[in-house]
């Protein structure tokens, strides 16, 4: 009798252990935020990505520009934006990698995949240290695009992505800004979710989901505005000075973009944050951003900046949120076109219905 009881306890413990292990690890070979169905639909409509393929072809001669110590200076000074080639090179390379990987998916031409893989390897094998200041920030802003690109070509050409996985686990993960309260936190959550999805770590995905929800709960006011962002200036006096609020709508978009991409990554892996109370707050923020984008003269800092606001229509992410929270203002903005911040080709991947 006692033997049978012990045997049952042992089996139960083993089962629990297996469950915990299964929770910690998951298949990591799926695309990060694009589905095979989306790719297949686009393959049947080549006219929609003619311009993208031409750009991929023009970029095939591009070579990665990594550095061993990635420590660019602060983006803002007391007089305005600084321009540093180190940060610009990472951003540029991230875009080239992503587009080449996407072109591979659409055409199955392995030349595009090889180009993306070569550039990813260059950064993975060169970077030794990442500065804690602007370096970490730029990793948060740009690495997700590289990770998404890598997911599109990870099983092509027998590519060995060991160096890239090491870069993610040993360096990129340590730069996360997910604990910050403003837009940096949203980019940090996207970085965390992207790394976790690529490496197949469900526990880290769950952690990213919890942080995603906490940020939406704390960042979005009852009227849908983002108080930490709408006051943003164009200098290191981040929320003050003569041009207070000139970047406020731009930074609202810059917060909601990573929030949206992270939501897609999480939802595709069973963490449907859209259906949470925090998802409701995202819907409120989307409606407010859409209204301001359509009617910028209603933005709180429009008059104080003499009718000038930066990044008013940096709203390509509307094409995703419109499917979750249909909004007439956003629909009008998308139909009007000339929508920016489309580095992930969202307008092509998520066409307005």
């Amino acid at each position: 009798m006692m033997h049978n009881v012990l045997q049952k306890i042992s089996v139960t413990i083993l089962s629990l252990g297996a469950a915990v292990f299964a929770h910690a690890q998951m298949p990591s070979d799926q695309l990060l935020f694009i589905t095979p169905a989306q790719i297949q639909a686009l393959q049947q409509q080549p006219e929609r990505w003619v311009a993208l393929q031409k750009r991929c072809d023009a970029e095939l001669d591009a070579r990665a520009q990594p550095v061993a110590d990635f420590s660019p200076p602060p983006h803002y000074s007391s007089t305005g934006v600084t321009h540093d080639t180190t940060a610009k090179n990472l951003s540029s390379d991230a875009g080239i990698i992503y587009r080449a990987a996407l072109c591979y998916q659409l055409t199955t031409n392995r030349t595009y995949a090889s180009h993306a893989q070569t550039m990813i390897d260059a950064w993975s094998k060169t970077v030794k240290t990442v500065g804690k200041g602007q370096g970490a920030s730029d990793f948060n802003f740009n690495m997700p695009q590289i990770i998404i690109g890598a997911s599109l070509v990870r099983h092509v050409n027998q590519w060995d992505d060991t160096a890239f996985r090491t870069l993610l686990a040993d360096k990129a993960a340590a730069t996360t800004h997910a604990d910050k309260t403003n837009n940096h936190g949203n980019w940090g959550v996207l970085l965390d979710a992207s790394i976790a999805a690529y490496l197949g770590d469900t526990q880290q995905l769950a952690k990213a989901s919890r942080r995603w929800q906490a940020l939406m709960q704390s960042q979005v006011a009852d009227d849908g505005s983002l108080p930490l962002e709408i006051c943003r200036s164009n200098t290191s006096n981040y929320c003050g000075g003569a041009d207070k609020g000139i970047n406020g709508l731009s930074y609202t978009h810059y917060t909601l973009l990573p929030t949206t991409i992270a939501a897609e990554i999480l939802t595709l892996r069973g963490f449907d944050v859209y259906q949470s109370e925090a998802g409701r707050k995202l819907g409120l923020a989307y409606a407010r951003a859409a209204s301001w984008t359509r009617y910028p003269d209603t933005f709180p800092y429009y008059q104080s900046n003499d009718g000038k606001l930066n990044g008013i229509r940096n709203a390509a992410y509307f094409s995703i949120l419109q499917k979750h929270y249909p909004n007439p203002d956003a629909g009008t903005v998308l139909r009007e076109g000339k929508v920016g911040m489309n580095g992930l080709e969202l307008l092509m991947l998520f066409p307005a219905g």
Side-chain angles (χ1 to χ4, degrees):
M1 178 72 71
M2 182 60 68
H3 174 75
N4 291 338
V5 170
L6 291 174
Q7 187 177 42
K8 289 180 179 179
I9 292 173
S10 176
V11 169
T12 300
I13 291 173
L14 288 172
S15 298
L16 287 172
V20 169
F21 179 80
H23 179 65
Q25 301 295 327
M26 63 177 290
S28 58
D29 58 355
Q30 68 185 108
L31 309 183
L32 257 68
F33 88 109
I34 310 167
T35 66
Q38 286 172 284
I39 295 296
Q40 291 167 8
L42 280 168
Q43 287 175 335
Q44 303 304 313
Q45 304 172 66
E47 68 279 0
R48 287 177 52 195
W49 39 273
V50 169
L52 172 65
Q53 187 174 10
K54 286 183 178 178
R55 188 170 184 182
C56 287
D57 290 341
E59 292 173 340
L60 281 175
D61 291 331
R63 295 294 175 262
Q65 303 175 78
V67 292
D69 178 17
F70 186 77
S71 300
H75 182 66
Y76 288 107
S77 71
S78 60
T79 57
V81 177
T82 60
H83 299 281
D84 177 74
T85 56
T86 304
K88 183 180 179 180
N89 289 344
L90 175 60
S91 176
S92 175
D93 285 357
I96 293 171
I97 288 166
Y98 176 78
R99 286 187 291 274
L102 188 54
C103 277
Y104 162 72
Q105 283 288 329
L106 294 172
T107 66
T108 69
N109 184 335
R110 292 172 180 264
T111 301
Y112 298 125
S114 295
H115 186 44
Q117 292 162 347
T118 298
M119 294 188 70
I120 293 169
D121 282 341
W123 279 94
S124 302
K125 296 175 182 179
T126 301
V127 174
K128 305 303 180 186
T129 59
V130 180
K132 293 182 179 180
Q134 192 63 48
S137 295
D138 281 308
F139 253 54
N140 278 248
F141 299 150
N142 294 292
M143 283 304 298
Q145 188 173 29
I146 295 176
I147 299 169
I148 293 170
S151 78
L152 298 173
V153 298
R154 69 187 307 170
H155 297 304
V156 188
N157 301 324
Q158 297 183 318
W159 181 44
D160 181 358
D161 68 348
T162 301
F164 181 58
R165 294 168 67 90
T166 300
L167 175 71
L168 297 184
D170 293 354
K171 296 182 180 66
T175 71
T176 180
H177 281 175
D179 62 339
K180 295 187 179 297
T181 57
N182 68 347
N183 69 85
H184 284 257
N186 306 79
W187 284 99
V189 168
L190 174 56
L191 177 64
D192 290 352
S194 300
I195 292 174
Y198 191 89
L199 297 181
D201 190 334
T202 304
Q203 290 183 339
Q204 284 299 110
L205 281 167
K207 182 179 178 181
S209 172
R210 291 191 295 271
R211 184 56 184 157
W212 187 99
Q213 295 178 66
L215 282 171
M216 282 293 92
Q217 294 284 20
S218 64
Q219 290 175 330
V220 182
D222 290 340
D223 67 352
S225 67
L226 301 176
L228 295 179
E229 309 300 340
I230 60 174
C231 57
R232 290 298 297 264
S233 72
N234 204 35
T235 70
S236 55
N237 185 356
Y238 298 116
C239 229
D243 63 355
K244 177 180 179 179
I246 196 169
N247 280 337
L249 184 48
S250 177
Y251 268 92
T252 294
H253 293 319
Y254 199 65
T255 303
L256 296 180
L257 169 63
T259 300
T260 300
I261 302 303
E264 289 294 305
I265 292 172
L266 292 167
T267 297
L268 284 174
R269 285 156 185 79
F271 300 92
D272 191 355
V273 292
Y274 287 117
Q275 300 303 315
S276 65
E277 177 59 23
R280 185 188 71 81
K281 297 292 286 288
L282 173 58
L284 287 177
Y286 175 47
R288 177 57 63 190
S291 176
W292 282 335
T293 303
R294 187 177 181 187
Y295 305 108
D297 58 326
T298 64
F299 187 73
Y301 298 96
Y302 181 85
Q303 297 297 336
S304 62
N305 282 287
D306 298 322
K308 176 177 173 55
L309 297 173
N310 294 328
I312 293 173
R313 298 180 69 83
N314 285 348
Y317 67 94
F318 280 12
S319 61
I320 297 178
L321 293 185
Q322 189 67 354
K323 300 181 185 306
H324 297 279
Y325 315 106
N327 178 277
D329 290 331
T332 297
V333 169
L334 290 169
R335 286 191 298 273
E336 289 175 346
K338 296 183 180 179
V339 179
M341 210 159 66
N342 190 36
L344 289 174
E345 304 292 337
L346 300 181
L347 298 175
M348 180 188 72
L349 293 168
F350 298 85

